Amino acid sequence: MEFSRELNTRDPADNEISFTGTTTVVWALSDAPPPADENNILYHSDRGSESLNLVGQPDDVPQLEPDIFPLDLQVENVNVPSVGPDGQPADTVYWCKAFQLPSDRKRHAVFVEPVIDPRFEQNVHHILIYWCDTDLGDDINFEGPCYDRPGGLSCLGNAIVSGWAVGGQGEYSPEGVGLPIGIDGPQQVIMEIHYDNPNLIPNIVDSSGMRFWLTEQLRPIDSGLIMAGQVVESISIPPGEVAFDTVGYCSSACTQDLPPEGVTIFLKCSSRAYCCSRN
């Protein structure tokens, strides 16, 4: 099935499609033939949504090293709970798994892509990979609900090595730039997967994750990580607001560590910012 429409219909009651990125398209179908009266629209019971890139074309794919090899960080046949610990239906689950990365030498990650289990791609909302800057100890074997564990997990909320959200694709490092893995980079990480199950579908057994493509042919420039924004708990939107902006700043305590010549930002959003950050 195909459809088309103008990006700008010039209809004051319509929205212009102008955002370069993913747009949520809501669709509805009916098995019944259309009525003779075109003003009598039948209820369409078969419905859903999909995140699509409607504006803009993907950038040219950079040349990758011939020796690249995959490092898969995935859960394996996780039975996603549809009932919470309190016995109530669970339509949202945050599942975490710790990983030890290869650390015998320095490697560069040059391409990162999601590996989404096609059986439940409608239920995987986003994935975050947190950098563990202190040794996890026994928690390196942890796998389970992220926030039900007494004492929590030390890495949650740390710098995000990589992330993905619905509608996203893989992310390439610019030519000549690589993210260090192992020496000079993360050696242990925690992967957090947010499962969204509004229909409370039972027996979701998922094997999603992220795939890092690594090379041992080190590129001239190491990429780094910087995070700015608002923690979710601090955002309080007053009732009745038509629009509400939140702003994150880098304080001098952060910027004083930047080199005098400045930095180049080549990836400006994480999955939780939903591509709304400004450089």
Side-chain angles (χ1 to χ4, degrees):
M1 176 178 292
E2 297 181 357
F3 76 94
S4 63
R5 56 152 285 179
E6 298 288 337
L7 294 177
N8 184 0
T9 63
R10 297 173 177 80
D11 182 345
D14 195 8
N15 291 323
E16 178 185 357
I17 301 175
S18 59
F19 177 72
T20 301
T22 55
T23 301
T24 301
V25 176
V26 180
W27 54 269
L29 302 174
S30 175
D31 294 332
D37 181 4
E38 63 180 16
N39 294 317
N40 181 21
I41 300 177
L42 298 176
Y43 179 76
H44 290 43
S45 57
D46 188 7
R47 54 183 56 203
S49 64
E50 186 70 30
S51 294
L52 303 174
N53 188 351
L54 299 179
V55 180
Q57 298 297 322
D59 296 333
D60 292 336
V61 176
Q63 182 70 33
L64 297 180
E65 288 71 11
D67 72 327
I68 61 170
F69 61 94
L71 171 64
D72 289 346
L73 307 182
Q74 292 179 250
V75 295
E76 185 175 351
N77 295 324
V78 168
N79 194 337
V80 181
S82 58
V83 178
D86 57 358
Q88 299 299 313
D91 59 357
T92 291
V93 172
Y94 289 88
W95 191 269
C96 281
K97 183 177 181 179
F99 293 90
Q100 175 70 53
L101 305 186
S103 55
D104 58 313
R105 61 180 299 176
K106 181 177 178 178
R107 299 174 174 87
H108 269 162
V110 294
F111 177 48
V112 185
E113 62 180 334
V115 181
I116 308 301
D117 192 324
R119 299 172 299 171
F120 303 108
E121 58 184 6
Q122 73 275 14
N123 299 111
V124 182
H125 184 270
H126 73 254
I127 303 174
L128 299 176
I129 307 292
Y130 291 106
W131 183 335
C132 297
D133 53 0
T134 58
D135 188 81
L136 282 171
D138 292 340
D139 282 342
I140 192 62
N141 299 313
F142 177 83
E143 181 174 6
C146 299
Y147 302 102
D148 293 346
R149 183 179 181 278
L153 289 168
S154 60
C155 299
L156 293 181
N158 278 14
I160 298 174
V161 178
S162 183
W164 169 89
V166 172
Q169 303 295 324
E171 295 289 349
Y172 291 90
S173 293
E175 290 187 12
V177 178
L179 174 67
I181 298 293
I183 297 176
D184 294 338
Q187 299 184 16
Q188 296 178 339
V189 297
I190 286 182
M191 180 174 68
E192 174 190 281
I193 302 181
H194 174 199
Y195 293 102
D196 184 34
N197 187 15
N199 296 322
L200 300 176
I201 300 172
N203 302 320
I204 293 179
V205 182
D206 181 62
S207 296
S208 296
M210 301 289 287
R211 176 170 294 150
F212 288 69
W213 288 92
L214 307 182
T215 177
E216 295 183 353
Q217 299 180 31
L218 299 182
R219 295 182 172 186
I221 301 174
D222 289 346
S223 64
L225 306 170
I226 186 170
M227 292 178 61
Q230 297 280 0
V231 295
V232 175
E233 292 77 10
S234 69
I235 300 175
S236 179
I237 302 176
E241 293 289 323
V242 177
F244 189 82
D245 293 332
T246 62
V247 181
Y249 295 96
C250 285
S251 67
S252 59
C254 172
T255 58
Q256 68 180 358
D257 294 327
L258 299 181
E261 64 273 18
V263 296
T264 299
I265 298 176
F266 63 88
L267 179 59
K268 297 183 292 184
C269 66
S270 73
S271 64
R272 286 190 176 180
Y274 295 100
C275 298
C276 292
S277 61
R278 294 182 181 180
N279 183 15

Short mmCIF file of all heavy atoms in Angstrom, two decimals, residues 196-244:
data_model
loop_
_atom_site.label_atom_id
_atom_site.label_comp_id
_atom_site.label_asym_id
_atom_site.label_seq_id
_atom_site.Cartn_x
_atom_site.Cartn_y
_atom_site.Cartn_z
N ASP A 196 7.72 -1.09 26.16
CA ASP A 196 6.41 -0.43 26.23
C ASP A 196 5.36 -1.44 25.80
O ASP A 196 5.36 -1.91 24.67
CB ASP A 196 6.40 0.80 25.32
CG ASP A 196 5.10 1.57 25.43
OD1 ASP A 196 4.53 1.62 26.53
OD2 ASP A 196 4.65 2.14 24.40
N ASN A 197 4.46 -1.78 26.71
CA ASN A 197 3.48 -2.84 26.45
C ASN A 197 2.09 -2.38 26.87
O ASN A 197 1.50 -2.89 27.82
CB ASN A 197 3.88 -4.11 27.21
CG ASN A 197 3.03 -5.31 26.86
OD1 ASN A 197 2.32 -5.31 25.86
ND2 ASN A 197 3.08 -6.33 27.69
N PRO A 198 1.55 -1.36 26.17
CA PRO A 198 0.26 -0.79 26.60
C PRO A 198 -0.89 -1.78 26.51
O PRO A 198 -1.88 -1.64 27.24
CB PRO A 198 0.06 0.39 25.63
CG PRO A 198 0.89 0.05 24.43
CD PRO A 198 2.07 -0.70 24.96
N ASN A 199 -0.78 -2.78 25.64
CA ASN A 199 -1.86 -3.76 25.50
C ASN A 199 -1.66 -4.96 26.42
O ASN A 199 -2.44 -5.92 26.34
CB ASN A 199 -1.95 -4.23 24.04
CG ASN A 199 -2.33 -3.11 23.10
OD1 ASN A 199 -3.15 -2.26 23.43
ND2 ASN A 199 -1.72 -3.07 21.92
N LEU A 200 -0.62 -4.89 27.27
CA LEU A 200 -0.35 -5.95 28.25
C LEU A 200 -0.27 -7.33 27.59
O LEU A 200 -0.85 -8.31 28.06
CB LEU A 200 -1.41 -5.94 29.36
CG LEU A 200 -1.50 -4.64 30.17
CD1 LEU A 200 -2.64 -4.72 31.17
CD2 LEU A 200 -0.18 -4.33 30.86
N ILE A 201 0.48 -7.38 26.48
CA ILE A 201 0.66 -8.65 25.77
C ILE A 201 1.49 -9.59 26.63
O ILE A 201 2.58 -9.23 27.07
CB ILE A 201 1.36 -8.41 24.42
CG1 ILE A 201 0.53 -7.47 23.55
CG2 ILE A 201 1.63 -9.72 23.71
CD1 ILE A 201 1.24 -7.04 22.28
N PRO A 202 1.00 -10.78 26.92
CA PRO A 202 1.79 -11.72 27.72
C PRO A 202 2.83 -12.44 26.86
O PRO A 202 2.77 -12.42 25.63
CB PRO A 202 0.74 -12.70 28.25
CG PRO A 202 -0.32 -12.70 27.17
CD PRO A 202 -0.33 -11.31 26.59
N ASN A 203 3.79 -13.06 27.52
CA ASN A 203 4.76 -13.95 26.86
C ASN A 203 5.62 -13.25 25.81
O ASN A 203 5.90 -13.79 24.74
CB ASN A 203 4.04 -15.14 26.22
CG ASN A 203 3.22 -15.94 27.23
OD1 ASN A 203 3.67 -16.16 28.36
ND2 ASN A 203 2.03 -16.35 26.84
N ILE A 204 6.02 -12.00 26.12
CA ILE A 204 7.01 -11.34 25.27
C ILE A 204 8.40 -11.88 25.64
O ILE A 204 8.86 -11.71 26.77
CB ILE A 204 6.98 -9.81 25.45
CG1 ILE A 204 5.65 -9.25 24.92
CG2 ILE A 204 8.16 -9.15 24.74
CD1 ILE A 204 5.52 -7.74 25.08
N VAL A 205 9.03 -12.56 24.72
CA VAL A 205 10.36 -13.13 24.93
C VAL A 205 11.30 -12.46 23.94
O VAL A 205 11.29 -12.78 22.75
CB VAL A 205 10.35 -14.66 24.76
CG1 VAL A 205 11.74 -15.22 25.04
CG2 VAL A 205 9.33 -15.30 25.69
N ASP A 206 12.11 -11.53 24.42
CA ASP A 206 12.84 -10.62 23.54
C ASP A 206 14.34 -10.89 23.56
O ASP A 206 14.89 -11.36 24.56
CB ASP A 206 12.58 -9.17 23.97
CG ASP A 206 13.29 -8.17 23.08
OD1 ASP A 206 12.98 -8.14 21.88
OD2 ASP A 206 14.15 -7.44 23.58
N SER A 207 15.00 -10.55 22.42
CA SER A 207 16.45 -10.71 22.31
C SER A 207 17.07 -9.50 21.62
O SER A 207 17.92 -9.63 20.75
CB SER A 207 16.81 -11.99 21.55
OG SER A 207 16.39 -13.14 22.24
N SER A 208 16.62 -8.30 21.99
CA SER A 208 17.10 -7.07 21.34
C SER A 208 18.39 -6.58 21.99
O SER A 208 18.83 -7.09 23.02
CB SER A 208 16.02 -5.98 21.42
OG SER A 208 14.87 -6.35 20.69
N GLY A 209 18.99 -5.55 21.38
CA GLY A 209 20.20 -4.96 21.94
C GLY A 209 20.84 -4.01 20.95
O GLY A 209 20.19 -3.47 20.06
N MET A 210 22.15 -3.80 21.12
CA MET A 210 22.92 -2.90 20.27
C MET A 210 24.15 -3.63 19.73
O MET A 210 24.72 -4.48 20.41
CB MET A 210 23.37 -1.65 21.04
CG MET A 210 22.23 -0.83 21.62
SD MET A 210 21.28 0.06 20.36
CE MET A 210 22.44 1.35 19.91
N ARG A 211 24.55 -3.27 18.52
CA ARG A 211 25.73 -3.87 17.90
C ARG A 211 26.77 -2.78 17.63
O ARG A 211 26.50 -1.82 16.90
CB ARG A 211 25.35 -4.58 16.60
CG ARG A 211 26.53 -5.15 15.82
CD ARG A 211 26.04 -6.03 14.68
NE ARG A 211 25.38 -7.21 15.21
CZ ARG A 211 24.37 -7.85 14.58
NH1 ARG A 211 23.92 -7.40 13.42
NH2 ARG A 211 23.81 -8.91 15.14
N PHE A 212 27.94 -2.94 18.24
CA PHE A 212 29.06 -2.04 18.03
C PHE A 212 30.01 -2.66 17.01
O PHE A 212 30.46 -3.80 17.19
CB PHE A 212 29.82 -1.80 19.34
CG PHE A 212 29.10 -0.94 20.34
CD1 PHE A 212 27.96 -1.40 20.98
CD2 PHE A 212 29.56 0.33 20.64
CE1 PHE A 212 27.29 -0.61 21.91
CE2 PHE A 212 28.90 1.13 21.57
CZ PHE A 212 27.76 0.66 22.21
N TRP A 213 30.32 -1.90 15.97
CA TRP A 213 31.29 -2.37 14.98
C TRP A 213 32.65 -1.77 15.34
O TRP A 213 32.82 -0.55 15.38
CB TRP A 213 30.87 -1.97 13.57
CG TRP A 213 29.69 -2.78 13.10
CD1 TRP A 213 28.37 -2.45 13.21
CD2 TRP A 213 29.74 -4.05 12.46
NE1 TRP A 213 27.58 -3.45 12.68
CE2 TRP A 213 28.40 -4.45 12.21
CE3 TRP A 213 30.78 -4.90 12.07
CZ2 TRP A 213 28.08 -5.65 11.59
CZ3 TRP A 213 30.45 -6.11 11.45
CH2 TRP A 213 29.12 -6.47 11.21
N LEU A 214 33.62 -2.66 15.65
CA LEU A 214 34.92 -2.25 16.16
C LEU A 214 36.01 -2.46 15.12
O LEU A 214 35.91 -3.33 14.26
CB LEU A 214 35.27 -3.04 17.42
CG LEU A 214 34.25 -3.05 18.56
CD1 LEU A 214 34.80 -3.85 19.74
CD2 LEU A 214 33.87 -1.64 18.99
N THR A 215 37.07 -1.66 15.24
CA THR A 215 38.26 -1.83 14.42
C THR A 215 39.49 -1.70 15.31
O THR A 215 39.49 -0.96 16.30
CB THR A 215 38.34 -0.79 13.29
OG1 THR A 215 39.56 -0.97 12.57
CG2 THR A 215 38.29 0.63 13.82
N GLU A 216 40.53 -2.43 14.96
CA GLU A 216 41.81 -2.31 15.65
C GLU A 216 42.75 -1.37 14.91
O GLU A 216 43.86 -1.11 15.38
CB GLU A 216 42.44 -3.69 15.83
CG GLU A 216 41.61 -4.59 16.76
CD GLU A 216 42.24 -5.94 17.03
OE1 GLU A 216 43.27 -6.25 16.38
OE2 GLU A 216 41.71 -6.69 17.87
N GLN A 217 42.30 -0.87 13.76
CA GLN A 217 43.04 0.17 13.04
C GLN A 217 42.59 1.53 13.59
O GLN A 217 41.61 2.11 13.11
CB GLN A 217 42.79 0.09 11.53
CG GLN A 217 43.22 -1.23 10.90
CD GLN A 217 42.95 -1.26 9.41
OE1 GLN A 217 43.00 -0.23 8.73
NE2 GLN A 217 42.68 -2.45 8.88
N LEU A 218 43.26 1.98 14.63
CA LEU A 218 42.81 3.17 15.35
C LEU A 218 42.80 4.39 14.44
O LEU A 218 43.73 4.63 13.67
CB LEU A 218 43.71 3.42 16.56
CG LEU A 218 43.74 2.29 17.60
CD1 LEU A 218 44.64 2.70 18.76
CD2 LEU A 218 42.35 1.95 18.09
N ARG A 219 41.74 5.18 14.58
CA ARG A 219 41.63 6.42 13.82
C ARG A 219 42.39 7.54 14.54
O ARG A 219 42.67 7.43 15.74
CB ARG A 219 40.15 6.77 13.65
CG ARG A 219 39.41 5.74 12.78
CD ARG A 219 37.97 6.13 12.57
NE ARG A 219 37.32 5.26 11.58
CZ ARG A 219 36.08 5.45 11.12
NH1 ARG A 219 35.35 6.47 11.57
NH2 ARG A 219 35.58 4.63 10.22
N PRO A 220 42.71 8.63 13.84
CA PRO A 220 43.54 9.68 14.45
C PRO A 220 42.89 10.36 15.66
O PRO A 220 43.61 10.83 16.55
CB PRO A 220 43.74 10.68 13.30
CG PRO A 220 43.47 9.91 12.05
CD PRO A 220 42.45 8.88 12.41
N ILE A 221 41.56 10.43 15.72
CA ILE A 221 40.90 11.23 16.75
C ILE A 221 39.99 10.32 17.59
O ILE A 221 39.21 9.53 17.04
CB ILE A 221 40.06 12.36 16.13
CG1 ILE A 221 40.95 13.27 15.29
CG2 ILE A 221 39.34 13.17 17.21
CD1 ILE A 221 40.19 14.33 14.51
N ASP A 222 40.12 10.45 18.93
CA ASP A 222 39.19 9.79 19.85
C ASP A 222 37.97 10.68 20.06
O ASP A 222 38.11 11.89 20.32
CB ASP A 222 39.84 9.55 21.22
CG ASP A 222 40.90 8.47 21.18
OD1 ASP A 222 40.96 7.73 20.19
OD2 ASP A 222 41.68 8.39 22.15
N SER A 223 36.78 10.12 19.95
CA SER A 223 35.58 10.87 20.33
C SER A 223 35.34 10.72 21.82
O SER A 223 35.85 9.80 22.47
CB SER A 223 34.36 10.37 19.54
OG SER A 223 34.05 9.03 19.87
N GLY A 224 34.58 11.65 22.38
CA GLY A 224 34.25 11.63 23.80
C GLY A 224 32.77 11.82 24.02
O GLY A 224 31.98 11.86 23.07
N LEU A 225 32.39 11.95 25.28
CA LEU A 225 30.98 12.06 25.64
C LEU A 225 30.77 13.28 26.53
O LEU A 225 31.59 13.56 27.42
CB LEU A 225 30.51 10.81 26.39
CG LEU A 225 30.76 9.47 25.69
CD1 LEU A 225 30.46 8.32 26.66
CD2 LEU A 225 29.92 9.35 24.44
N ILE A 226 29.69 13.99 26.30
CA ILE A 226 29.29 15.09 27.17
C ILE A 226 27.78 15.07 27.27
O ILE A 226 27.08 14.83 26.28
CB ILE A 226 29.81 16.45 26.64
CG1 ILE A 226 29.49 17.56 27.65
CG2 ILE A 226 29.23 16.78 25.27
CD1 ILE A 226 30.17 18.87 27.31
N MET A 227 27.26 15.26 28.48
CA MET A 227 25.82 15.22 28.71
C MET A 227 25.36 16.52 29.34
O MET A 227 26.01 17.06 30.24
CB MET A 227 25.45 14.05 29.62
CG MET A 227 25.66 12.68 29.00
SD MET A 227 25.27 11.34 30.14
CE MET A 227 23.53 11.66 30.47
N ALA A 228 24.24 17.04 28.85
CA ALA A 228 23.63 18.23 29.42
C ALA A 228 22.12 18.09 29.31
O ALA A 228 21.61 17.49 28.36
CB ALA A 228 24.10 19.49 28.71
N GLY A 229 21.42 18.63 30.27
CA GLY A 229 19.97 18.55 30.22
C GLY A 229 19.36 18.60 31.60
O GLY A 229 20.00 19.01 32.57
N GLN A 230 18.11 18.18 31.69
CA GLN A 230 17.37 18.16 32.94
C GLN A 230 17.05 16.73 33.33
O GLN A 230 16.67 15.93 32.47
CB GLN A 230 16.05 18.94 32.79
CG GLN A 230 16.21 20.41 32.47
CD GLN A 230 16.53 21.22 33.71
OE1 GLN A 230 16.63 20.70 34.81
NE2 GLN A 230 16.71 22.53 33.55
N VAL A 231 17.21 16.42 34.61
CA VAL A 231 16.76 15.11 35.07
C VAL A 231 15.24 15.10 35.07
O VAL A 231 14.59 16.13 35.30
CB VAL A 231 17.31 14.79 36.47
CG1 VAL A 231 18.81 14.66 36.44
CG2 VAL A 231 16.87 15.83 37.48
N VAL A 232 14.68 13.94 34.78
CA VAL A 232 13.23 13.85 34.62
C VAL A 232 12.50 14.32 35.87
O VAL A 232 11.47 15.01 35.79
CB VAL A 232 12.83 12.40 34.27
CG1 VAL A 232 11.32 12.26 34.22
CG2 VAL A 232 13.44 11.99 32.93
N GLU A 233 13.05 13.97 37.04
CA GLU A 233 12.35 14.29 38.28
C GLU A 233 12.22 15.79 38.52
O GLU A 233 11.36 16.23 39.29
CB GLU A 233 13.08 13.64 39.47
CG GLU A 233 13.01 12.12 39.50
CD GLU A 233 13.96 11.47 38.51
OE1 GLU A 233 14.82 12.18 37.95
OE2 GLU A 233 13.86 10.25 38.29
N SER A 234 13.08 16.60 37.87
CA SER A 234 13.05 18.05 38.10
C SER A 234 12.10 18.77 37.16
O SER A 234 11.90 19.98 37.29
CB SER A 234 14.46 18.64 37.94
OG SER A 234 14.87 18.58 36.59
N ILE A 235 11.52 18.06 36.21
CA ILE A 235 10.63 18.70 35.23
C ILE A 235 9.21 18.65 35.76
O ILE A 235 8.62 17.58 35.91
CB ILE A 235 10.73 18.01 33.87
CG1 ILE A 235 12.17 18.08 33.34
CG2 ILE A 235 9.76 18.65 32.88
CD1 ILE A 235 12.38 17.33 32.04
N SER A 236 8.66 19.82 36.04
CA SER A 236 7.29 19.92 36.54
C SER A 236 6.54 20.89 35.64
O SER A 236 6.77 22.11 35.70
CB SER A 236 7.27 20.39 38.00
OG SER A 236 5.94 20.50 38.48
N ILE A 237 5.66 20.37 34.80
CA ILE A 237 4.93 21.20 33.85
C ILE A 237 3.63 21.67 34.48
O ILE A 237 2.79 20.84 34.86
CB ILE A 237 4.65 20.43 32.55
CG1 ILE A 237 5.97 19.94 31.94
CG2 ILE A 237 3.89 21.29 31.55
CD1 ILE A 237 5.79 19.08 30.71
N PRO A 238 3.43 22.97 34.62
CA PRO A 238 2.17 23.47 35.20
C PRO A 238 0.98 23.07 34.33
O PRO A 238 1.11 22.92 33.11
CB PRO A 238 2.37 24.99 35.21
CG PRO A 238 3.85 25.20 35.09
CD PRO A 238 4.35 24.06 34.28
N PRO A 239 -0.19 22.90 34.94
CA PRO A 239 -1.37 22.51 34.15
C PRO A 239 -1.79 23.63 33.20
O PRO A 239 -1.61 24.81 33.49
CB PRO A 239 -2.44 22.26 35.23
CG PRO A 239 -1.97 23.04 36.42
CD PRO A 239 -0.48 23.01 36.38
N GLY A 240 -2.33 23.22 32.06
CA GLY A 240 -2.88 24.17 31.11
C GLY A 240 -1.88 24.82 30.19
O GLY A 240 -2.23 25.70 29.41
N GLU A 241 -0.60 24.41 30.24
CA GLU A 241 0.42 25.02 29.39
C GLU A 241 0.25 24.56 27.94
O GLU A 241 0.08 23.37 27.68
CB GLU A 241 1.82 24.65 29.88
CG GLU A 241 2.18 25.25 31.22
CD GLU A 241 2.39 26.74 31.14
OE1 GLU A 241 2.94 27.21 30.12
OE2 GLU A 241 1.98 27.45 32.09
N VAL A 242 0.30 25.50 27.01
CA VAL A 242 0.26 25.15 25.59
C VAL A 242 1.62 24.61 25.14
O VAL A 242 1.70 23.66 24.37
CB VAL A 242 -0.13 26.38 24.75
CG1 VAL A 242 -0.09 26.04 23.25
CG2 VAL A 242 -1.51 26.88 25.15
N ALA A 243 2.69 25.20 25.65
CA ALA A 243 4.05 24.74 25.35
C ALA A 243 4.90 24.99 26.58
O ALA A 243 4.63 25.90 27.37
CB ALA A 243 4.62 25.46 24.14
N PHE A 244 5.93 24.16 26.75
CA PHE A 244 6.78 24.29 27.93
C PHE A 244 8.19 23.87 27.56
O PHE A 244 8.40 22.74 27.10
CB PHE A 244 6.24 23.41 29.07
CG PHE A 244 6.93 23.63 30.38
CD1 PHE A 244 6.57 24.68 31.20
CD2 PHE A 244 7.94 22.78 30.80
CE1 PHE A 244 7.20 24.89 32.42
CE2 PHE A 244 8.58 22.97 32.01
CZ PHE A 244 8.20 24.03 32.82
#
